[in-house]
Each structure stands twice: as C-alpha cells, then as structure tokens.
Amino acid sequence: MKLVHLSDLHFPVHLPLTSLKGKMVPGYLNYSLRRKKKYPLRLWDSLVETVLSLDPDAIVISGDITNVSHLTEYFGSLEHLKPLLNEKTFMIPGNHDRYTRAAVSGPVPYYEKFFSQWMGDQVPGSSGYLRWKRIGEVCLIGLDSNKPLSVLNAYGYVDPTVVRHALAFLRENRIEKYVLVCHHPIWNPPERQESAGHRMRNREEIAEILRESPPLAYLHGHVHTNWVKKPGKKKPYYVINSASSTRTSDLRHECGFHVLETGQKTPEIKRFIYSEQTSKFIEAATILYEEKE
C-alpha cells in the first residue's frame, strides 16, 4: 500500500477581526503577524498536483487544517481540500482544529460537521474518540489528543483506555497490520524536545501500551519540521512527522510530506519538499533518527 501523509496545512483563510472572540483574538493576531506568509497557496496547489501524480492508495491528514477553529476556516479548508477528499482519505483533528470550546461544543463538533465522511468509522463500544478505516491490508486507527486550552498551551493527552480498546478491536478482528494516526508526537529528536505546554503529557504511558501490539508506523504532526524515527527498543515502529506539509522551509523548519509504502517486509519511506527553483514538490533525503530516548 502506498500512503501519503500530510499534516499541519494551516490554510490561510482571512478572518475579520470583528468576528473573533476570546482566545481567537491573540491566536489569529499571532498567526497573521508570524506565520501567515509562510503558507502561500502556491505550495498547496503544487502539493495537490504531486499527490495526485503519485496515485496513492491512502491519503492521511493528521490535523491542523485551521488556525483558530473559526467556522469560516472550515468552509475555506473544505474548498481547498476537495481535490484530495475521496474514499482514500483519512483525517483526524489537530489542536488548532479544537482551539475553542465553540468548536467542540454542541451535538457535532465543527471538524466532524465538515469532515466526518473522511474520518473513518467510530470503533463500536469505545468510550472516547477512536476511528478506524481499512484500506487494502492495512487498518488506519485515528486518535484525538486535543482539547481547548489557554492561549499559552498546546499540550495533548490520549486516554489510555481508548488505546487499549483499539488494540482489543484489532485482535478481535484479526487485523495484524495497522497504522496509528495522532496529532501529537510520541517521540522527538534530542534537538526538538517539546515543552510541557506543547507535548503529549502521557506519551510514555501510551508508548508502553503500544509495545503489546506495535503499529507499522505512528503518524503525527504538531512540530513544524520533518523527521522519521526508525523502530527501536522502546518504540518498535516508525514515527513519521510530516508537519508542516505546506509551510515554506527555513533554518529551523524543514518542511514537506512523506510517502509510506508497506508492500515489502521493511516499509519504504520517501520525503518530498517544495523546491523554490522549480515551484514543485520534489523527492529529497529523508531525515532519519535512531531511537536514543
């Protein structure tokens, strides 16, 4: 199976300041002043062209399509994403998609209201967010590590009961090959360690549970620079970060996306980055790490 992994698209949707409330105000001002210019739509147009040319079996988007989870952003994000939304697509929310209480309150959260048909099916009997979708011989499992927080925090948390339920579901259905998708990292390179206000707070607990039945790969975003961790003793699976797929690279952020091919005994991972010289996404060296945590 050929899987394209995208993350942290942060579509540049204009919002009138008069439409913002609460933490949206500082959040959107921070985005407008610091990051908006880093997400030119020419990168998205080129990315769509590249993804379609790759003809993948699955397209995974691991969160953060919006910036402050304003309702207007969802309309705009849906329009931008339409070329890649089909039966191959599997999406989960990121912390910016759960940015405010308004985005998650009510009978249907904003993310589900717009994208539920590409989020897979809810695992029966689960007490929390637990989605799945089978494509070929691989099962995609989606977790939600996000909730509305103060403007200074972006940490994540995953209910261990939900993860145990996921593994039980896989056993009961005799599913051996699966890929886990969650917005927050479960591992970081030494030079990319996150603060307590940014990381998944119980990630080592989740990693220990996963050792019982490891995925082929753990796909995530959240930290806006690419990497791939090889399977190791503590986390015997690939950890793949494709954030931020549509951000222009700079000295601290090496951006792009990954393609995961699972047909062989050892999965093959390719990295694509945007080339300013050609105005296209091109294949580049994958940034690989050994597990030393």
Side-chain angles (χ1 to χ4, degrees):
M1 184 181 80
K2 182 192 294 183
L3 181 155
V4 167
H5 174 215
L6 313 175
S7 197
D8 295 68
L9 304 175
H10 290 294
F11 290 114
V13 178
H14 174 71
L15 301 175
L17 289 178
T18 55
S19 71
L20 305 178
K21 297 180 181 180
K23 65 178 288 190
M24 281 187 180
V25 177
Y28 186 71
L29 288 175
N30 178 61
Y31 159 73
S32 298
L33 295 172
R34 297 183 57 196
R35 291 191 287 121
K36 187 175 183 178
K37 293 182 179 179
K38 299 180 183 296
Y39 288 87
L41 284 175
R42 70 175 186 276
L43 267 71
W44 174 246
D45 294 336
S46 178
L47 184 147
V48 169
E49 180 182 351
T50 303
V51 170
L52 293 177
S53 71
L54 290 169
D55 191 23
D57 300 297
I59 300 171
V60 172
I61 303 172
S62 56
D64 277 6
I65 58 174
T66 67
N67 297 288
V68 294
S69 68
H70 192 287
L71 189 60
T72 300
E73 291 185 288
Y74 283 94
F75 283 104
S77 297
L78 178 60
E79 285 301 312
H80 289 307
L81 283 166
K82 277 183 178 178
L84 300 185
L85 296 178
N86 53 49
E87 70 282 354
K88 302 177 181 180
T89 310
F90 185 72
M91 303 173 63
I92 65 161
N95 63 296
H96 282 269
D97 306 318
R98 305 292 206 203
Y99 199 69
T100 65
R101 294 189 184 280
V104 299
S105 61
V108 183
Y110 289 172
Y111 199 88
E112 282 82 344
K113 185 178 295 185
F114 284 81
F115 300 104
S116 60
Q117 69 185 97
W118 303 288
M119 295 171 68
D121 297 319
Q122 179 73 8
V123 171
S126 174
S127 59
Y129 184 107
L130 181 56
R131 302 275 182 149
W132 76 289
K133 185 171 189 175
R134 190 158 194 166
I135 299 180
E137 61 179 6
V138 175
C139 180
L140 302 171
I141 296 289
L143 303 175
D144 186 356
S145 54
N146 317 284
K147 64 178 181 179
L149 299 167
S150 72
V151 74
L152 297 177
N153 283 300
Y155 63 81
Y157 178 85
V158 174
D159 186 344
T161 303
V162 171
V163 179
R164 293 190 183 97
H165 193 139
L167 298 187
F169 171 79
L170 294 168
R171 286 194 302 269
E172 291 166 6
N173 290 276
R174 299 181 180 180
I175 298 171
E176 295 182 359
K177 293 184 178 181
Y178 78 100
V179 170
L180 192 61
V181 188
C182 184
H183 183 66
H184 286 79
I186 202 166
W187 179 93
N188 295 72
E191 69 273 21
R192 287 286 179 178
Q193 291 301 312
E194 299 171 88
S195 67
H198 198 260
R199 67 189 290 167
M200 186 200 298
R201 291 196 164 181
N202 66 329
R203 68 184 195 172
E204 292 307 322
E205 179 183 14
I206 300 305
E208 186 61 29
I209 295 171
L210 291 177
R211 288 180 66 184
E212 174 189 329
S213 182
L216 293 172
Y218 179 104
L219 310 184
H220 72 89
H222 198 49
V223 180
H224 290 184
T225 192
N226 289 172
W227 67 69
V228 173
K229 182 199 77 70
K230 295 180 180 180
K233 184 177 180 180
K234 291 185 177 181
K235 300 171 182 68
Y237 41 84
Y238 287 94
V239 177
I240 303 176
N241 176 22
S242 285
S244 172
S245 300
T246 50
R247 176 174 176 150
T248 55
S249 296
D250 55 39
L251 292 177
R252 275 192 54 79
H253 302 90
E254 298 194 67
C255 303
F257 68 91
H258 293 93
V259 176
L260 170 67
E261 296 195 47
T262 63
Q264 303 176 1
K265 185 175 181 180
T266 301
E268 183 179 3
I269 303 169
K270 297 178 181 179
R271 176 171 173 257
F272 287 78
I273 64 171
Y274 184 76
S275 166
E276 294 287 355
Q277 288 72 32
T278 64
S279 299
K280 294 181 180 295
F281 275 84
I282 60 173
E283 189 173 345
T286 304
I287 302 171
L288 286 171
Y289 289 91
E290 300 284 348
E291 183 178 292
K292 296 180 181 180
E293 190 175 327

